[in-house]
Amino acid sequence: MGTQAVTARAASRRKRQNTELKIILAGKIGHFLEVNMPVQMVRARELILALGIIFCWSVPCAQAQETPDIFNTTSPPAAEQNTASDGDATGASAEKTATATSPTASRQASTDKPALKMQLSFVDEVAVGKDAQVRARITDPSIGTQDMRNTVQLVGTVKSGEPVEGLVPSSIAWAQIQRTDTAASSQLQNALESRFRISETMPVINSNEMIYAEGDVDGLVTSAMSLMSDDAAVADTPVSSARTAPGGDAGKYKTSGNGQAENSAFKDINIPDPEKETPQLAKAEDVIAETTMGCDILVDLEGGVAKQQSQKLVNGSPQGGCSPNGTNYPLARSYASCQDIVDMNSHKAWASFKRFYVDNGGTNQVVDSECQKDVELVYDIFQKPDECTYEVDLVNNMVFERGKWVYQSKNISSAWNEIEVTGCQRMESSTIPLTETEDGCTPRHDFVAGISHQQTRLYYVEGGQHKMVSECTDSGKTYPHIKNTTACEDLAPTKVQLGLESGNRVVFKQSRIEIMVDDQAVAITDCAPDDSQSTTAFQDAAGCETTFYHYLSSGQSYGAARWKYKFPGEPEIVLSECLQDNDLLYVHQVRVAGYENNDEALVSFPKTEIYIDTPNDKLVVSEAQVREGAAEIPYTFQKNMKVSTGEIFYEDGSCTKMMNQNSVDRYLRGDGISTFDNILGEAESLNQGNGCTTAITWGPDYHDQYQQPTNWQTQNVCGSYSYTDYRNEDHVAQATDYYHCSWTLADGKKTVKRDDGEVIGEVLSNTCKSAPKQFIRSEPNNPSFIRTISWYGGWSYPTLSAVDKSNCATTWGWQ
């Protein structure tokens, strides 16, 4: 497919149709130079004013001085800088889109090279507030070559300060460049810098957002071209300066030493100091530049690109025609504004699209005037029965499935989307036969003719479910009527009717009409009375002997009986439970059954119960109670006396047990049996004797012992004994010695506790000691031999009996 020109002149023409600036050089120069340029370059007036050149616009000069520097060739005016520092920036640029604040003083690097400003685009999303490495691509078309801008990216580090009025002051130092194809990198001799403020609540810059960087742009281009010099793919377009005019113009805009813009057309003019000498006119040179203004975008459909064209300018005048300048925009497809192409004959559908490209201003430019068929995105059209009902053909007893013609298409987000082509239509290849059934139908009865007609209807099966398509109609099959007299209950009077004196007492036999369906009897009528078979109900009191109906106000009760009936040759039938029999009348009788006493009023009332005499027993009709009109019976005084209250008390610290007494008047109540004591007040307390119990408790037995020494220093601890000493035959003498001793002991405690649990007095303690057990020390027949306890095999102890302990307690006066 050949190339075609697509007009992209609208924006360019609007720029060129702006008020043209006529710069007239006058005075001592002696001749003038007329240069045509866009109104956006009004900053050039500063150079002209330095030469004493006169400006004249086709609009008032006051308006020209307010014209913004939209080429960004200089730093913002002081008023703009102050506004930015005060946080008054408006729109998304102050809060979300990062914009450089480039004061002249801060954009000077460590070198004396003048600072330039260029536009970048973030490669990745940037989280401001974190010292992180970020990358950006050069989007300014005036910087370097297209190949360089596509291949080289800047690498920088984000730094942020403290928030001020909701905005975070931040900066990025672009100190490194890196190739995207080989990952080769290089450090910049002079880092570029971006300064901006961003919202504290949304401190994120999205990828592809724009930002300006200032600094040594020439040095950046030199380093980038050097980094690309090892690759044969580097474009051979010569780069004489880091920056070209916007839109591809070749008129180079550099900065003067003070950071202000200068045009190369004036680079050879000597600008003297107006206070020292009169400026001399220098020889003017031709200004050769390149511009895209007036040049169409050349669309190459086969190559899939839109080519930017430009033409040569000499002193602002076009020279020659437009030709591609190497800047290409890839063509893309847009399906959003196009409808799919549908062919029902082939049951196919194709997606369609329009081609477009995105220009350097970020605007979509559509290439095709009409939608183009995408032969690769073809979809099969098929019938889908999900939302359609069936079509019923009762003539041929067939059901046809119906479906919508649809196809599955991909939308712009690559998700499958179902497209409906037609509504529900018959699917000839999908049929279902109709079937006859009795389900849901009942026979049609003809009682005059004595027959019933079978009825059926038609259905088809869908998903295991029966779908009915017709009403019930006669099938031609009939059933004869049969009278059944055994399947019905007898028709008897109701309980209400039986209870009435003139009520109905007649019982009838009943019958119904049935038909035989599949050998099963089916009733087609309800049971109805048969006048030819009837009997009369009667009463029977048997089994109702304990059922009575009482009427207290009339002083009567009635017995009860069941209603029954009986047909000849059949068992007796009970019609009702026990109902009142007015022939069984019982008169109420009254008797006293206790009294209700009013001790406060000192009177009694008799309680009476109502009863009847039945054939079996006396039956209480109403329980004993004081009835209306009962006679009042006063109490009878008997005597004044003292009555114990049962309340026990003790005098403080005493074991004397006392009981409270009241002084009362005793009355005999109206029943003649029970008495009532009317308390007049407290009486003298009654002494109940000793209310304490003495408890003597003993601890466990323990032992004590004493062993006499083996020398002469013995002592009488538990007794002595005498023996005859035969050791001196000339002098036989009586000798005395003392026993070794052991005892058994126990500690006793005496506690006096009152019946209410209080301990009276102190708890006494003492130790009870048994009589000693004695061990001989000197052997009588051999006094020289001293028996120690070990001779006895160790200590042994006497028994401390309960009698011994009782004696101790008596001795101590505990009992």
Side-chain angles (χ1 to χ4, degrees):
M1 182 181 295
T3 61
Q4 62 180 7
V6 177
T7 303
R9 299 176 179 175
S12 299
R13 285 177 178 174
R14 284 195 297 271
K15 293 180 180 179
R16 298 192 64 184
Q17 289 172 359
N18 290 331
T19 304
E20 295 181 345
L21 173 64
K22 294 185 177 182
I23 303 176
I24 303 174
L25 305 181
K28 294 183 180 182
I29 299 176
H31 65 278
F32 68 90
L33 173 65
E34 184 174 20
V35 180
N36 292 325
M37 61 182 67
V39 71
Q40 289 89 337
M41 298 176 63
V42 297
R43 294 286 182 178
R45 76 184 188 277
E46 297 177 2
L47 291 175
I48 306 303
L49 289 174
L51 295 171
I53 300 174
I54 301 174
F55 275 69
C56 187
W57 298 76
S58 60
V59 294
C61 294
Q63 296 181 20
Q65 294 185 14
E66 295 299 322
T67 305
D69 183 9
I70 63 173
F71 277 2
N72 294 302
T73 56
T74 67
S75 59
E80 296 174 3
Q81 295 179 23
N82 293 337
T83 303
S85 64
D86 292 337
D88 294 333
T90 61
S93 62
E95 292 188 15
K96 183 65 180 173
T97 305
T99 57
T101 64
S102 55
T104 304
S106 64
R107 63 181 179 177
Q108 295 297 335
S110 59
T111 177
D112 292 334
K113 291 185 178 182
L116 287 177
K117 180 162 62 176
M118 66 177 180
Q119 191 179 59
L120 305 177
S121 171
F122 286 98
V123 175
D124 307 302
E125 184 179 88
V126 178
V128 178
K130 298 180 180 180
D131 293 346
Q133 194 177 69
V134 296
R135 296 178 299 136
R137 62 178 70 88
I138 302 172
T139 56
D140 194 332
S142 67
I143 303 301
T145 65
Q146 179 71 30
D147 193 38
M148 184 203 80
R149 295 192 295 273
N150 292 341
T151 306
V152 177
Q153 293 180 350
L154 277 75
V155 180
T157 303
V158 180
K159 298 288 185 180
S160 299
E162 294 298 323
V164 177
E165 297 182 355
L167 297 177
V168 180
S170 306
S171 65
I172 303 176
W174 305 100
Q176 186 183 25
I177 55 176
Q178 186 179 43
R179 289 184 57 158
T180 60
D181 52 353
T182 64
S185 62
S186 174
Q187 293 293 124
L188 294 176
Q189 182 177 357
N190 298 314
L192 285 81
E193 183 180 31
S194 297
R195 291 181 179 271
F196 57 93
R197 292 182 297 167
I198 193 166
S199 171
E200 182 181 9
T201 59
M202 296 181 61
V204 177
I205 301 177
N206 297 325
S207 61
N208 295 323
E209 286 200 23
M210 300 297 183
I211 192 172
Y212 284 100
E214 289 189 328
D216 186 5
V217 178
D218 286 340
L220 165 68
V221 174
T222 301
S223 298
M225 298 304 292
S226 174
L227 184 63
M228 294 177 59
S229 63
D230 295 334
D231 193 335
V234 175
D236 56 1
T237 303
V239 179
S240 60
S241 175
R243 193 177 191 90
T244 61
D249 290 349
K252 306 301 185 296
Y253 281 83
K254 301 180 182 178
T255 62
S256 62
N258 61 0
Q260 301 297 318
E262 69 171 359
N263 192 294
S264 59
F266 303 102
K267 64 182 180 179
D268 293 329
I269 298 178
N270 183 23
I271 304 176
D273 186 342
E275 297 181 357
K276 296 180 179 181
E277 57 180 311
T278 301
Q280 300 295 322
L281 179 64
K283 179 182 179 181
E285 293 183 353
D286 289 338
V287 178
I288 300 175
E290 184 178 356
T291 182
T292 60
M293 296 182 185
C295 292
D296 295 332
I297 297 293
L298 186 63
V299 178
D300 182 358
L301 295 180
E302 291 184 355
V305 296
K307 299 181 178 180
Q308 177 76 62
Q309 297 190 105
S310 60
Q311 64 181 159
K312 184 177 180 181
L313 293 177
V314 176
N315 295 329
S317 299
Q319 304 292 324
C322 296
S323 61
N325 62 8
T327 299
N328 296 331
Y329 308 105
L331 296 182
R333 295 181 177 184
S334 173
Y335 295 85
S337 60
C338 292
Q339 300 291 331
D340 294 340
I341 300 172
V342 176
D343 182 5
M344 288 300 296
N345 293 328
S346 62
H347 290 159
K348 298 289 184 182
W350 291 267
S352 64
F353 61 88
K354 287 184 179 181
R355 284 163 289 204
F356 72 95
Y357 65 90
V358 181
D359 62 20
N360 61 354
T363 303
N364 290 356
Q365 303 293 344
V366 179
V367 173
D368 296 308
S369 59
E370 296 183 358
C371 296
Q372 307 295 314
K373 180 191 286 188
D374 190 337
V375 296
E376 296 179 353
L377 285 179
V378 58
Y379 315 112
D380 292 326
I381 302 176
F382 59 92
Q383 272 189 295
K384 182 179 179 182
D386 295 354
E387 300 176 0
C388 295
T389 60
Y390 286 80
E391 180 182 335
V392 179
D393 184 356
L394 294 177
V395 175
N396 299 308
N397 284 342
M398 296 294 293
V399 174
F400 294 89
E401 191 174 12
R402 298 195 306 160
K404 295 180 180 180
W405 288 99
V406 298
Y407 64 92
Q408 298 289 334
S409 170
K410 279 189 177 180
N411 58 24
I412 57 176
S413 62
S414 298
W416 286 103
N417 186 32
E418 184 175 279
I419 307 300
E420 181 178 320
V421 180
T422 69
C424 296
Q425 296 182 358
R426 177 187 289 188
M427 300 172 65
E428 298 290 347
S429 60
S430 179
T431 60
I432 304 174
L434 290 176
T435 304
E436 186 180 35
T437 181
E438 294 181 67
D439 294 344
C441 295
T442 58
R444 183 175 63 83
H445 309 300
D446 185 350
F447 292 102
V448 176
I451 60 173
S452 295
H453 299 269
Q454 181 195 51
Q455 290 201 317
T456 59
R457 58 180 177 171
L458 298 175
Y459 73 92
Y460 65 93
V461 179
E462 176 191 0
Q465 301 292 323
H466 288 190
K467 305 292 184 178
M468 299 300 168
V469 298
S470 70
E471 301 294 333
C472 295
T473 58
D474 292 348
S475 67
K477 185 176 181 180
T478 61
Y479 309 100
H481 291 179
I482 303 170
K483 182 179 180 179
N484 187 340
T485 59
T486 62
C488 297
E489 294 182 353
D490 298 332
L491 179 61
T494 64
K495 183 171 65 173
V496 174
Q497 292 172 331
L498 293 171
L500 297 175
E501 290 294 336
S502 59
N504 181 25
R505 306 282 192 273
V506 180
V507 180
F508 293 92
K509 286 286 187 181
Q510 296 193 105
S511 63
R512 68 185 183 186
I513 303 301
E514 298 177 350
I515 58 176
M516 297 298 295
V517 180
D518 297 332
D519 298 327
Q520 297 292 326
V522 178
I524 63 174
T525 67
D526 293 329
C527 294
D530 187 348
D531 294 339
S532 64
Q533 299 185 70
S534 65
T535 187
T536 302
F538 59 90
Q539 284 183 301
D540 185 0
C544 298
E545 293 84 0
T546 59
T547 302
F548 296 90
Y549 294 86
H550 306 294
Y551 302 94
L552 293 177
S553 61
S554 62
Q556 295 176 326
S557 294
Y558 292 91
R562 291 189 179 96
W563 284 96
K564 300 179 181 179
Y565 72 91
K566 186 178 184 304
F567 281 100
E570 295 183 7
E572 189 176 75
I573 304 299
V574 177
L575 279 178
S576 70
E577 71 276 14
C578 294
L579 300 177
Q580 179 175 313
D581 186 350
N582 295 335
D583 295 332
L584 299 175
L585 175 62
Y586 300 94
V587 179
H588 291 177
Q589 301 184 54
V590 180
R591 61 187 175 190
V592 176
Y595 291 84
E596 183 177 287
N597 301 309
N598 187 339
D599 292 337
E600 184 176 351
L602 300 177
V603 294
S604 297
F605 296 92
K607 295 194 293 185
T608 58
E609 63 182 11
I610 300 174
Y611 69 98
I612 58 174
D613 283 324
T614 69
N616 299 321
D617 198 359
K618 293 183 184 297
L619 178 66
V620 175
V621 174
S622 175
E623 298 296 331
Q625 57 186 288
V626 176
R627 302 185 187 275
E628 185 178 357
E632 182 180 282
I633 304 173
Y635 288 9
T636 302
F637 175 78
Q638 290 186 325
K639 60 179 177 179
N640 179 271
M641 58 187 299
K642 295 177 182 179
V643 177
S644 173
T645 64
E647 296 175 353
I648 301 298
F649 70 94
Y650 300 88
E651 295 182 357
D652 293 340
S654 170
C655 286
T656 301
K657 187 175 185 180
M658 304 295 291
M659 179 177 290
N660 287 331
Q661 292 188 113
N662 287 332
S663 173
V664 302
D665 286 341
R666 176 160 289 181
Y667 293 88
L668 180 66
R669 289 192 175 105
D671 59 6
I673 299 173
S674 62
T675 59
F676 165 65
D677 291 335
N678 185 25
I679 300 174
L680 303 177
E682 293 183 357
E684 183 182 359
S685 299
L686 183 63
N687 191 330
Q688 299 293 301
N690 185 15
C692 291
T693 301
T694 300
I696 300 175
T697 58
W698 297 95
D701 292 349
Y702 59 96
H703 306 290
D704 193 11
Q705 60 276 331
Y706 179 79
Q707 180 174 250
Q708 298 286 352
T710 57
N711 57 23
W712 54 269
Q713 295 178 337
T714 59
Q715 56 181 327
N716 187 1
V717 176
C718 62
S720 62
Y721 61 93
S722 298
Y723 62 91
T724 304
D725 186 354
Y726 295 100
R727 287 178 293 179
N728 188 350
E729 295 179 356
D730 296 333
H731 179 71
V732 177
Q734 288 296 116
T736 299
D737 203 355
Y738 301 102
Y739 294 107
H740 303 301
C741 309
S742 67
W743 300 270
T744 297
L745 302 92
D747 295 330
K749 288 185 178 181
K750 175 187 176 183
T751 304
V752 178
K753 183 178 292 186
R754 214 160 55 192
D755 293 346
D756 61 358
E758 182 177 346
V759 175
I760 302 302
E762 296 181 358
V763 177
L764 303 179
S765 300
N766 211 334
T767 301
C768 182
K769 192 174 186 182
S770 68
K773 184 176 182 179
Q774 299 169 328
F775 301 86
I776 294 175
R777 176 178 178 274
S778 299
E779 194 168 328
N781 296 325
N782 186 14
S784 299
F785 180 74
I786 302 301
R787 295 181 184 178
T788 62
I789 291 302
S790 59
W791 185 88
Y792 292 97
W795 288 103
S796 59
Y797 303 94
T799 300
L800 181 62
S801 66
V803 174
D804 296 332
K805 295 177 181 178
S806 178
N807 293 334
C808 287
T810 300
T811 302
W812 300 334
W814 288 6
Q815 60 185 19

